[in-house]
Amino acid sequence: MLNLYYRFAPEVWGRGVATAVARAVVADARRRQPDVPVLAFTTVDNTGSRRTALAAGLVRRPDLERVVDGHWAVVFTAPPAG
C-alpha cells in the first residue's frame, strides 16, 4: 500500500490546496503503480483530513480502523486501478 499523507500550514486550510494535491497524488500513484492501493488514515475528530481523503477519491474502510497511540484511526483507501 501507498500512504497518502498531507500536512499543510493553517494559513492555507480551507482553500482547496490539500484536496488538489491529494487528488493529483492519487492519480499519479494509480498511473505509476496501478496495482498498489492507496491508504490514508487520520483521527476521528479531524474532519478536514477526512473530507480531503474523500475528495481525493478514497473511501472509508471501517474494517481497517483501530486505536493507534490512544486515538481512533479512521482509514480510507483507494482500491487498485488495475
Side-chain angles (χ1 to χ4, degrees):
M1 292 192 133
L2 300 172
N3 182 30
L4 175 62
Y5 180 86
Y6 36 87
R7 180 173 290 195
F8 292 90
E11 303 85 65
V12 300
W13 291 357
R15 296 184 185 177
V17 175
T19 297
V21 171
R23 284 179 179 159
V25 168
V26 170
D28 188 59
R30 290 178 151 235
R31 182 180 57 79
R32 290 176 185 249
Q33 297 182 352
D35 296 329
V36 179
V38 178
L39 169 110
F41 74 95
T42 187
T43 58
V44 71
D45 61 335
N46 191 337
T47 56
S49 182
R50 290 190 338 233
R51 277 188 290 223
T52 299
L54 292 169
L58 281 64
V59 294
R60 189 167 176 181
R61 292 285 306 274
D63 58 309
L64 299 176
E65 296 176 4
R66 64 190 189 287
V67 175
V68 176
D69 296 329
H71 302 280
W72 189 255
V74 179
V75 180
F76 297 86
T77 65

